[in-house]
Amino acid sequence: MRVRDNNKENLVKLKAMEMIINNGINGFSMQKLAKACNISVATLYIYYKNKDDLIFKLGIEQGEKMVKASLKGFSPNLPFNEGLKIQWENRTNFTFKNKLSSNFFEAIQHTIYGEEISKNITAMFSPIMKEFVNNAIKNKQLKFVSIESYWCVAFGPLYTLLNFASKGKSIGNRPFKFSKKIMYETLDYVLIALKP
């Protein structure tokens, strides 16, 4: 039986994410991946059952990494303003430090894999965030709104800024450079909007 090689496995993950980002799911295959890694297709099957298994496991692994980074220094018992600020900082740091991972999530988000991977990530993250929101409502630090409205107002502006940053352009193709100043300015407006 062939032994797993951590270096090869990490190369496979890296190349798989790069290929999916650059060519999409439909342009990705185990044969192309093996060629890009300069290994045999049989070697890939030491690590993964098939293409679906590879993409799903890669998505879950990257999702766990993102959740862990998002929860650094965070507690559901924090005051709402402080907790949301930490969430914005953590998500921003993760996005900038893990561009490959962030772009991979973007590439698979609207595919057959995206929904299932999203369910798993939500299961890890949701109970903590739900407790945080419920505490904030109970403590009269947050107005009660639907979950969809909450997410759009609480995180939509951050992801819009991060999207501008990844393109280097904002509305009307204006040059855009991300800064903490603009992030905190936007967060101030979000906190005003969500205040009871």
Side-chain angles (χ1 to χ4, degrees):
M1 184 174 148
R2 295 173 75 179
V3 184
R4 293 174 81 100
D5 178 330
N6 287 340
N7 291 332
K8 273 187 192 169
E9 190 172 6
N10 289 334
L11 176 65
V12 165
K13 292 174 187 178
L14 177 75
K15 289 293 182 189
M17 286 193 286
E18 286 175 355
M19 291 176 76
I20 290 168
I21 291 163
N22 295 327
N23 308 316
I25 292 291
N26 294 334
F28 176 75
S29 72
M30 296 296 262
Q31 290 77 14
K32 289 177 184 175
L33 177 60
K35 187 175 180 182
C37 295
N38 200 22
I39 58 175
S40 71
V41 175
T43 301
L44 289 177
Y45 293 106
I46 293 170
Y47 309 112
Y48 304 101
K49 293 180 207 166
N50 52 39
K51 172 183 162 177
D52 295 337
D53 183 50
L54 184 153
I55 295 169
F56 183 73
K57 283 182 177 167
L58 193 52
I60 296 299
E61 180 184 280
Q62 296 305 308
E64 286 174 353
K65 193 165 126 182
M66 183 205 52
V67 168
K68 186 177 176 186
S70 295
L71 294 175
K72 184 178 177 189
F74 177 81
S75 162
N77 299 315
L78 286 169
F80 182 72
N81 289 8
E82 188 182 335
L84 193 61
K85 180 182 178 196
I86 289 170
Q87 280 295 304
W88 274 46
E89 290 169 344
N90 288 348
R91 290 170 190 231
T92 298
N93 290 336
F94 179 82
T95 299
F96 285 118
K97 289 179 181 172
N98 299 276
K99 287 185 180 181
L100 189 66
S101 192
S102 297
N103 290 337
F104 171 69
F105 275 120
E106 189 66 31
I108 64 167
Q109 185 178 6
H110 300 292
T111 68
I112 57 170
Y113 306 98
E115 190 174 324
E116 198 59 37
I117 290 167
S118 218
K119 274 187 212 170
N120 279 272
I121 293 168
T122 302
M124 292 181 250
F125 203 51
S126 187
I128 295 163
M129 293 310 292
K130 187 175 182 180
E131 185 181 348
F132 172 63
V133 167
N134 287 339
N135 285 341
I137 292 168
K138 184 178 76 179
N139 296 327
K140 300 188 180 352
Q141 300 165 345
L142 171 67
K143 66 173 84 172
F144 179 82
V145 294
S146 70
I147 184 123
E148 295 80 8
S149 294
Y150 170 75
W151 196 95
C152 287
V153 176
F155 295 106
L158 172 63
Y159 286 109
T160 299
L161 290 176
L162 293 173
N163 189 32
F164 288 162
S166 76
K167 293 177 182 173
K169 295 178 182 177
S170 70
I171 298 163
N173 283 328
R174 291 176 46 186
F176 180 82
K177 187 166 179 173
F178 188 91
S179 69
K180 285 193 174 180
K181 181 178 185 257
I182 196 163
M183 180 182 81
Y184 292 131
E185 177 184 78
T186 307
L187 177 59
D188 285 343
Y189 288 118
V190 166
L191 292 170
I192 290 165
L194 291 170
K195 195 173 179 180

